[in-house]
Each structure stands twice: as structure tokens, then as C-alpha cells.
Amino acid sequence: MSAATAQHSPLTAPREERFNYNNLGPLLFGLLVATGVGFVVALLACFTPMGWKQFLFSWLYAFMFFFTISAGSLFWTMLHYAVDAEWSVVVRRILETMANSFSVLWAFFIPIVLGAGVVYGWMYGVPAGVDPALDGKRAMLNPKVWAIFTVLIFSFFFSASYTLRWLSTRQDKTGDPGCTTKSRKVSFASIPLFAVLLTAAAIFWVMSIQYHWYSTMWGVYLFAGSAWSSMATLILITQWLRSRGHLQGIVSTQHFHIMGKLLLSFTVFWAYIAFSQFFLIWYANIPEETEFFLIRNTESWNVWAIGLEVVGHFFITFVLLCPRVMKTNPKYLCYVSGWVLLMHACDIYFIVNPFLNPTGVNPLSMIFDLAALVAIGAPLAFVFLRTLGKHSLYALRDPRLPESLRLVN
Amino acid sequence: MPAATLQAPANTIPAMPPRKLYGLGAELPSAAALFHAAESMRDAGFKRWDVFSPFPIHGMDEAMGLGKSIVSFIVLGGGLTGMATALLLEIGSAVYLYPLIVQGKPVTWATIPAFFPVIFELTILFSAFGAVFGMLAMNLLPRWHHPIFNWDRFARVTDDGFFVVVEASDPRFNDKDTVAFLSGLGATNITMVYDD
């Protein structure tokens, strides 16, 4: 709808719109079955030559995939309040519900905690005095600090996403504009914490596996992937809801256009960060920095790096998203978003799996990685769908809703 | 000059050459009126016309029936030119003309990561050139003067005036009918604007 006509047409008070569970029974049941099957198949990894270690790395891979998507959803929610955005009011409830997965995500980290000594070799495997490089990092790389940060990370991500969602759904009932200003304050306070703790998660959970290696861009690298993949997930979920008859007259092509533009911008941002990290390490050629890329730029991992990271992750996505029609047509945008999620899965795989298989891609490992993806993804999807129906599908009484409804960009 | 020559009979004054009509200007009371006028103009099938307001009006491109601008293709051309320029300058000189081993890096295509920053910068620079100069060219800018400035009321366009201007070269343009059409849209001060 155009701006000038909207100014003259009386704006009807938006009706509450609840998620419709019709015909969803088989899907919800299927998700529960998939959870069990995925978990059992992932556990079969214990019978491979790698054993328990194989299971842990598959599990860590799947966990990081969903952790980054959930963290990205929280990021977009906080950004919405911090910059007082108009366009995202209509899709914010979906983002809040996606970020709500932090209420259960901690449970999926338990296997990693139990097997921390196996995944993180520095934890118990290397006695003091053997490795001077590690001893210099002991102030940070010790089980106590690791545990403290793990608790801090989950507490923060859960409380921030819970508070923002609570304030937002409370506003649905009370219509109090104070909820928006309070959310804004929560977001301002949370953004620095988000940056520090997402970086901490990237360092403690992933980078420290190869404890000699360090990169100052690591936290930003995971952040770029988080914001990118969560935007793609948001596009897919929004269009899925629309295809089920929801959000008609609420979410328009204009909103998809903005989401497409943000997806494009984070495609470029990721490439910028990822290349900068590679470039500086490659050029400086310092042994403790290059070991990460030495594994990943040899054997079949190099094919992966060029084919899936450089060409697939960046070039194809970039070219696909350049024409305007790809961003304004929800159907095309959904195809690209599916591709984005696939590339994000490949990116996290490229980060985590070479620690386990330094000599090249291991097809056997992939079975368990996929199973772990299902074992974590299916229950998260279940929780998402159950939570989605508890409140209106969009922020019903947000002060900026009228502006968001008649968005023109 | 003697005063007597000023009192020459009227019939001796040489006839003015016929003035070339640029188009019809019309003023509208508000942004919303301008928006609806634009929709009507679009639906009536006018081709060479434009609207003017002191500030951008969201959705006006659609109300006017403007398609997508071709500037994006000029930008793409600019970006590709920049990329090719950087590749030529760097690969050509560092790999073929003066191969030097720097930092132990190979002097083949495999050293392309070292060239990326310049490729990246030149791609962006030439894309930006394409965007700015492409936009100027599409708008026929820069130019010294425009016939519409011959209309004194038009000065208010930078303050509080909303205007529609139909050019005389529009295939649907017709003095009387277009005046009637514009006044039907609620326009006031409908004025013939001349080209000199």
C-alpha cells in the first residue's frame, strides 16, 4: 500500500492473530520421532573407530549450527529496539520465538560438558610445564574459567531473550508503550554483553579446540554467520506462515524486500570478515596462526574451502541476491534462504569437523553429523511451534505497528 | 535616443517569433493531492511528465508508474570494469611482466588473495562512479538552465509548492484538454511554460 493513500484510509485496529495448529499434529509427532531417531543414530557414532569423540564432535557441530541461528535471532531483536526500527515490528514476534530456543538450548550442551575433556585437549590432557604456549594461556584456558563462561553465556542469552519476549508479549495485553522503552533499555545494556559473550562462546567452545591457534576475527566471524543464517531462517518461517494463511495484509513484499537486502548485506559482511581473517593469517605466515588454515587448505578440505566457502557461501549467494526481483519475490527469496542455510551448515561444518578429521572430509562422520543436526533441530522446531501459538503472531499493540504495516522502502 | 522614436505606430513593431511551448505547469495544494494527481496522470496514459515537491514522497515512483531504473546495470558495468582493471593491473604486472617473489608467495594465479583488496576497492570505486555518473546522465545533468524555471511560481518548489508539469512533447498533450484534465485533478495556477 502506498504512503499517501494509507494516510487517508482509516487504519483498522489490528486483530489478534494466533498460530493455527490445524493439520500440524503429524508434523509435531514427526518432530518428536525424528528427535529420538536422530539421537540414537548420533549415539551409534560411539561404535566407530573414533568412538565417543566422533559423537561429541558431531554434537558440537549441530549445537553450534543452532546456537548461531538462535544468537542471530536475539541480535535482530535487540537491534530492532536499539535503533527503534519500524519495519521489523511485524516479524519481531517470530524472531523472539526463535531466540526463545535458548530456554532449551542449554540442555543440548550437556553432552559437550560431559565430554569436555575429550573435545578440549587442553583441559586435562596436557600437564603444566609441557607446553609453554599453553601455559601462557592457562589463565583463560582452564576448566574453571571455561565452566564460568559457559554458565554466563547461557544465562545471558536466556535472560536477554526471555526478558525481551516477556516485555513484548506483555504489551500485547496491556498496550503499555513503556514496554517498548524498557525493551530499548534492555537492548542497550545487552548489546555489549552480547558481543563479549558471543565472542567468548566462539573462543571457549570452538577456537580452544586447537589451543595453539588464535585469530582476533574469530568472534566476528561467528557473529556474521549468526546474523546471516537467522535472517534466512526468519524469511523461511515468515513465508511458511504466509503460505498457511497467516500474516495476510501484515507482512508485505516491502518487508521481504528489506529482509532480502539485509541478507545480501550480511552475505557481503561475512565474506569481508572471513576473507580478512584468512588474508591476514595467510600473508603474515606465523606458525601458530596458520595451523587452522593449514588443515583446511589441504586435501579435500581445500576443495571444500574454495567450492563451498568462497564460491558457494559468497559468490553464488551474492550474485543470486543482486537483482531486485530476487529480494521482492518471496518465493525466490525463500529459495535463496534455503541455500543460505545450507551454506551456513557447510560453514559451521568447515569450522568444527576438520578438528576431528584433519586429513580430509570423512563421509562416515557426515552420517552422525546429520543425525546430530536432526537430534537438536527437531526438538528446537517442536519448541518453536509450541511457543509460537501461545501469543499473537505479531506484536499486536506495538506503538510502531501502524508505521510497519504501511511500510514503503 | 530621441523621444519621438518611442512613439512609433503599433503596426510597425516587428512581429515576435512564435514562442516555443515547453509544457503545462500546474500547482497542487498538498503532497497527498500530488500523489493522487500522479496516479490519475499515470492512468490517463501520459508519458512525458513529472512531479515536483519540496521533499521525497514514499511510493511516488509507483504512483507515477515509473519502472525500475536502469542505473543498476550501469553500476554492474562499472563494477565489472573496476574488477577487470584491478585484475589486469595486478596479475599483469606482478605475475607476467615483473614476476617478483614477495614474502615467499608464489608468482602465479595462486597468489590471488594478495590482490583481493585492490580488486575489492576498485570494484567498489567504479561501481560508485557508475552509480553517480549514471544517475547524472539519466537525469540529463548537469545543465545550466531548464525551461521550467521560466515559471515564477515554480520557485516555491523548494519551499511549500507541489507541482505537476506535462511536457508539450507528450503524445497525449493538447492545450485545452490537458488544461481541463489538470483542473479536474484539483490543480490551480495552470500555466503555459515557454522554452525561452
Side-chain angles (χ1 to χ4, degrees):
Chain A
M1 189 161 50
S2 53
T5 48
Q7 278 156 16
H8 290 274
S9 62
L11 191 74
T12 48
R15 282 176 302 105
E16 181 178 83
E17 188 174 341
R18 291 283 178 135
F19 181 60
N20 176 3
Y21 281 100
N22 283 352
N23 309 323
L24 266 193
L27 177 64
L28 291 174
F29 181 71
L31 285 173
L32 288 180
V33 173
T35 309
V37 172
F39 191 65
V40 169
V41 174
L43 269 182
L44 287 179
C46 296
F47 298 104
T48 59
M50 299 267 202
W52 173 225
K53 202 176 175 187
Q54 170 70 61
F55 168 78
L56 286 171
F57 272 88
S58 297
W59 198 258
L60 182 67
Y61 158 66
F63 175 82
M64 285 313 291
F65 179 74
F66 291 106
F67 174 78
T68 46
I69 293 177
S70 310
S73 321
L74 179 62
F75 163 74
W76 290 114
T77 316
M78 293 188 313
L79 191 70
H80 163 88
Y81 287 114
V83 303
D84 203 5
E86 283 171 11
W87 77 270
S88 42
V89 173
V90 292
V91 293
R92 204 189 61 222
R93 184 57 46 77
I94 303 169
L95 282 170
E96 287 161 0
T97 316
M98 279 159 66
N100 179 58
S101 56
F102 280 112
S103 58
V104 287
L105 204 57
W106 59 270
F108 297 104
F109 200 68
I110 291 173
I112 307 295
V113 174
L114 294 178
V118 180
V119 179
Y120 308 101
W122 50 267
M123 221 176 237
Y124 304 109
V126 189
V130 172
D131 188 342
L134 178 58
D135 287 339
K137 297 181 181 179
R138 288 277 188 203
M140 216 169 134
L141 291 189
N142 68 66
K144 227 180 260 170
V145 176
W146 189 86
I148 290 170
F149 266 96
T150 300
V151 171
L152 275 179
I153 291 162
F154 281 115
S155 320
F156 164 74
F157 278 103
F158 170 69
S159 48
S161 54
Y162 183 85
T163 312
L164 288 176
R165 191 177 135 76
W166 177 72
L167 283 168
S168 170
T169 50
R170 205 168 72 119
Q171 193 177 47
D172 276 6
K173 297 187 195 87
T174 62
D176 176 16
C179 291
T180 302
T181 50
K182 268 184 213 125
S183 301
R184 198 174 302 158
K185 285 174 193 156
V186 171
S187 299
F188 281 146
S190 299
I191 284 177
L193 283 171
F194 177 89
V196 169
L197 289 173
L198 187 70
T199 309
I203 291 175
F204 281 107
W205 295 349
V206 184
M207 194 208 269
S208 77
I209 296 172
Q210 200 165 21
Y211 50 84
H212 283 165
W213 178 62
Y214 61 87
S215 157
T216 48
M217 297 222 184
W218 191 241
V220 187
Y221 184 95
L222 278 198
F223 162 72
S226 302
W228 194 61
S229 55
S230 57
M231 186 47 72
T233 317
L234 174 66
I235 291 168
L236 286 172
I237 292 175
T238 310
Q239 181 58 14
W240 179 70
L241 288 173
R242 269 163 50 103
S243 74
R244 283 179 60 85
H246 289 298
L247 300 172
Q248 301 293 334
I250 306 288
V251 176
S252 70
T253 319
Q254 300 286 345
H255 298 102
F256 277 99
H257 193 182
I258 288 196
M259 292 192 273
K261 285 194 271 192
L262 286 171
L263 196 64
L264 174 61
S265 66
F266 269 87
T267 309
V268 179
F269 182 70
W270 177 89
Y272 190 91
I273 291 301
F275 177 73
S276 298
Q277 174 175 267
F278 167 79
F279 177 68
L280 294 176
I281 290 174
W282 173 79
Y283 210 81
N285 218 358
I286 300 169
E288 59 263 42
E289 286 182 357
T290 49
E291 64 174 336
F292 180 83
F293 285 110
L294 273 184
I295 299 171
R296 287 162 180 78
N297 283 347
T298 42
E299 303 296 331
S300 44
W301 287 124
N302 196 36
V303 180
W304 188 294
I306 293 170
L308 292 175
E309 299 286 304
V310 179
V311 176
H313 202 297
F314 172 63
F315 278 103
I316 291 180
T317 322
F318 178 74
V319 170
L320 281 180
L321 277 173
C322 266
R324 186 201 272 182
V325 66
M326 297 300 285
K327 288 166 280 190
T328 50
N329 184 326
K331 202 173 93 183
Y332 294 162
L333 196 54
C334 279
Y335 291 138
V336 180
S337 300
W339 171 258
V340 165
L341 278 187
L342 178 69
M343 283 303 113
H344 183 61
C346 291
D347 184 36
I348 301 289
Y349 196 79
F350 182 71
I351 289 169
V352 175
N353 199 271
F355 290 126
L356 181 71
N357 296 304
T359 51
V361 183
N362 180 357
L364 179 69
S365 171
M366 276 188 189
I367 300 168
F368 308 111
D369 299 320
L370 282 176
L373 269 187
V374 173
I376 298 182
L380 286 183
F382 183 85
V383 170
F384 175 83
L385 289 173
R386 294 296 300 161
T387 331
L388 197 59
K390 291 216 168 98
H391 298 279
S392 172
L393 275 177
Y394 57 93
L396 201 58
R397 293 163 87 175
D398 189 289
R400 293 229 177 260
L401 183 62
E403 281 124 319
S404 188
L405 286 176
R406 56 164 184 249
L407 174 81
V408 177
N409 77 92
Chain B
M1 195 180 279
T5 54
L6 286 176
Q7 292 164 350
N11 60 0
T12 61
I13 293 177
M16 290 271 288
R19 301 178 77 193
K20 189 165 171 273
L21 184 64
Y22 168 70
L24 265 180
E27 192 172 350
L28 285 144
S30 68
L34 186 68
F35 191 90
H36 294 306
E39 287 176 326
S40 308
M41 295 284 291
R42 171 196 68 193
D43 296 340
F46 285 97
K47 294 286 170 239
R48 297 184 62 83
W49 59 289
D50 209 343
V51 293
F52 302 87
S53 71
F55 47 81
I57 300 172
H58 278 298
M60 185 54 101
D61 48 346
E62 206 183 310
M64 286 181 69
L66 299 177
K68 191 179 171 303
S69 158
I70 65 156
V71 168
S72 56
F73 292 100
I74 303 176
V75 175
L76 177 67
L80 291 176
T81 310
M83 197 171 84
T85 309
L87 274 171
L88 195 70
L89 282 176
E90 292 191 289
I91 306 265
S93 58
V95 174
Y96 293 107
L97 296 178
Y98 306 100
L100 274 180
I101 294 172
V102 181
Q103 281 264 332
K105 300 290 186 277
V107 281
T108 62
W109 280 90
T111 195
I112 199 163
F115 304 146
F116 272 8
V118 176
I119 298 173
F120 173 73
E121 298 295 347
L122 278 195
T123 307
I124 288 178
L125 181 69
F126 279 60
S127 301
F129 283 161
V132 173
F133 295 116
M135 181 276 293
L136 288 177
M138 298 287 295
N139 284 322
L140 305 178
L141 288 172
R143 57 189 296 171
W144 299 115
H145 187 64
H146 192 279
I148 195 65
F149 296 146
N150 294 336
W151 184 21
D152 52 353
R153 284 195 73 83
F154 192 74
R156 291 180 56 199
V157 76
T158 56
D159 180 13
D160 61 353
F162 301 92
F163 299 93
V164 172
V165 175
V166 192
E167 290 181 31
S169 54
D170 189 292
R172 280 187 53 86
F173 185 83
N174 167 318
D175 294 10
K176 290 197 185 80
D177 293 353
T178 310
V179 170
F181 182 78
L182 286 171
S183 58
L185 297 177
T188 53
N189 295 311
I190 300 170
T191 312
M192 296 279 183
V193 182
Y194 290 93
D195 207 355
D196 43 31

